[in-house]
Amino acid sequence: MDFQFSAGQLELIKAAKEVGERKLKPMVTESMSVEALHGLRRTMAEQGLLGLNLPAAHGGLELPLLDTLLVTQTLQKCAPILGGICHRSSTGAVGAIAEYGTDEQREKFVRPLCNGEIGISIGITEPEAGSAATAMKTRGEIDGNEIVLNGRKQFVSFVNYNQYTLVYCRIGSTGRASDIGAVIVPHDTPGFSHSNGTLNMADELLFELYFDDCRVPVENILIDGGAFGKLISVYNAERLGSISRMIGSAEASYEYALAYSKERRQFNREISDFQGIQWMLAEMRVKLDAAKLLTYRAAANAGAKGLPNPTEVSIAKVFVAKAAKEICDDAIQILGANGYTREYPLAHRYAEVRGGSIYGGTMQIHKNMIAAAILERKISQWKAD
Ligand SMILES: Cc1cc2nc3c(=O)[nH]c(=O)nc-3n(C[C@H](O)[C@H](O)[C@H](O)COP(=O)(O)OP(=O)(O)OC[C@H]3O[C@@H](n4cnc5c(N)ncnc54)[C@H](O)[C@@H]3O)c2cc1C
């Protein structure tokens, strides 16, 4: 076991920090237009920050998963939108296309994504299928050389500035989880529409998607029925991507609060002189280190294919989602009223990591999965008939 980063990894972190702070952060503004976000994404592509773990044969850099997460975390520290774009264009929905797509699909979707020309959302959740994702009702019926989609998705991120959504839907007809496959749906397809979006706590829009006899060429079927397990095995890398974003935000909050505690004076001393503040800083640092180690373990063990062990991912997720909330909360406390205002970056960081306990499988669902692994048995959550 080696707890040191290699010289190459240290170089990668340094380079990502340098370009993130110097070139990209100045491009980030509070409410960015879709055009500005597209410009940012293209600049990140030019800087070699997209498609980090994706196959070199299709425009990616083919970095190991751990290195990919280190870059995501570093960019997230600079600004959340940078971590978000890096994650979605490396460990995001595109991972399933890179892993299971045909060569034609990889060329059509992975390469332009690595070039910063397109973005791909992921549509799994439905009104009646949240944690119980396999209860999804959106259906795809094959009709000649097209698949016809009908149904609805909700809480889908970044739809307004992406061009495609990877839509999970029922293709088979057994009524079981094994019916579920995935189709790449272009947003300009007739029969596809979306809501105007609902703002979440972190001021990001979450969209409803509507499929009304939405006809997509069969070439856009990524995986037909019978492959839900395969989709989820790639989704575990996506989970690690969003976990590394939480670590980036927690670390940024910790460092901000640490610096503030050395400058803010009360009772004629720096507030870092008070043991109450020192112990908070110590606890934040302990949680941050533990969060990183659990995440790096899951990534380092993912092997050459970059498919992590599901239990190691769930363990990292449960710990990091809680630790990140607590670290960001303590950082706000150290800043006092300043921390609670929008003039300082910590309230937004907190709002953003708060979502991590919900998306990508809630904390409770991940604990269910850890328990099933510990007890070595499948523990059905479904009410018996
Ligand atoms: C910021 C954000 C971004 C998102 N982006 C996307 C996206 O891009 N694409 C997408 O498809 N979805 C996305 N989602 C949706 C997300 O995947 C769902 O919110 C999540 O799966 C939980 O579903 P739900 O919200 O319907 O909660 P529910 O499933 O209704 O759960 C409600 C509560 O019940 C608990 N619960 C449910 N079942 C169990 C059980 N068996 N055991 C114990 N507790 C249980 C849950 O843990 C939770 O506390 C996003 C969500 C957020 C917050």
Side-chain angles (χ1 to χ4, degrees), residues 48-352:
L49 294 170
L50 306 188
L52 298 175
N53 57 330
L54 299 178
H58 299 283
L61 294 173
E62 219 166 302
L63 294 181
L65 185 55
L66 176 55
D67 296 28
T68 300
L69 300 188
L70 294 175
V71 174
T72 307
Q73 183 188 311
T74 304
L75 291 174
Q76 177 75 18
K77 267 181 82 176
C78 297
I81 186 67
L82 302 180
I85 293 175
C86 178
H87 158 51
R88 289 191 178 86
S89 308
S90 297
T91 35
V94 63
I97 304 175
E99 183 66 24
Y100 301 120
T102 60
D103 268 353
E104 289 72 30
Q105 287 173 333
R106 290 196 190 122
E107 213 35 38
K108 184 166 175 192
F109 300 107
V110 177
R111 187 177 295 284
L113 181 130
C114 294
N115 292 341
E117 291 158 15
I118 65 163
I120 306 173
S121 294
I122 186 162
I124 305 175
T125 312
E126 298 184 3
E128 302 306 325
S131 299
T134 55
M136 68 178 66
K137 293 193 181 119
T138 299
R139 275 201 75 72
E141 301 274 358
I142 309 276
D143 181 20
N145 57 3
E146 292 177 321
I147 179 162
V148 187
L149 297 173
N150 279 288
R152 182 175 160 195
K153 297 286 172 186
Q154 70 176 5
F155 302 135
V156 181
S157 309
F158 277 88
V159 177
N160 55 334
Y161 99 108
N162 285 342
Q163 291 76 6
Y164 299 90
T165 296
L166 180 67
V167 179
Y168 284 37
C169 60
R170 306 199 91 80
I171 301 180
S173 53
T174 65
R176 300 209 180 104
S178 57
D179 286 344
I180 295 169
V183 180
I184 307 158
V185 179
H187 290 173
D188 58 2
T189 311
F192 171 85
S193 57
H194 63 78
S195 65
N196 291 331
T198 305
L199 274 183
N200 68 19
M201 260 174 84
D203 296 329
E204 293 166 345
L205 289 167
L206 296 176
F207 296 87
E208 290 196 12
L209 310 184
Y210 312 107
F211 304 90
D212 190 8
D213 282 336
C214 171
R215 287 178 171 270
V216 178
V218 286
E219 296 81 62
N220 282 26
I221 299 176
L222 176 65
I223 288 187
D224 52 19
F228 188 62
K230 279 186 173 177
L231 287 169
I232 292 300
S233 72
V234 181
Y235 192 57
N236 277 318
E238 176 154 8
R239 285 171 167 149
L240 284 183
S242 52
I243 289 170
S244 66
R245 290 192 64 202
M246 284 190 260
I247 293 175
S249 276
E251 189 163 50
S253 302
Y254 160 75
E255 288 178 3
Y256 200 99
L258 175 61
Y260 185 94
S261 73
K262 293 182 197 164
E263 300 210 335
R264 172 70 173 161
R265 297 178 71 83
Q266 287 294 283
F267 299 97
N268 206 23
R269 336 163 60 172
E270 293 166 4
I271 60 168
S272 61
D273 279 348
F274 301 123
Q275 194 176 52
I277 297 288
Q278 291 166 2
W279 283 12
M280 281 167 85
L281 289 168
E283 279 182 26
M284 291 159 86
R285 177 62 196 272
V286 169
K287 287 172 191 165
L288 198 52
D289 278 15
K292 288 180 180 176
L293 288 173
L294 287 174
T295 306
Y296 299 163
R297 175 181 73 169
N301 287 342
K305 276 179 83 78
L307 298 177
N309 174 293
T311 307
E312 289 186 353
V313 172
S314 290
I315 290 172
K317 162 89 183 198
V318 167
F319 186 84
V320 178
K322 184 163 182 276
K325 267 187 301 198
E326 290 170 353
I327 292 167
C328 291
D329 188 43
D330 278 353
I332 290 172
Q333 193 67 21
I334 290 173
L335 264 72
N338 278 334
Y340 192 64
T341 68
R342 291 278 183 160
E343 293 297 308
Y344 287 75
L346 301 187
H348 187 269
R349 293 278 190 186
Y350 176 83
E352 190 206 319

Side-chain angles (χ1 to χ4, degrees), residues 1-12:
M1 217 181 266
D2 189 355
F3 291 102
Q4 303 298 320
F5 289 133
S6 68
Q9 286 168 330
L10 290 172
E11 195 52 44
L12 199 60

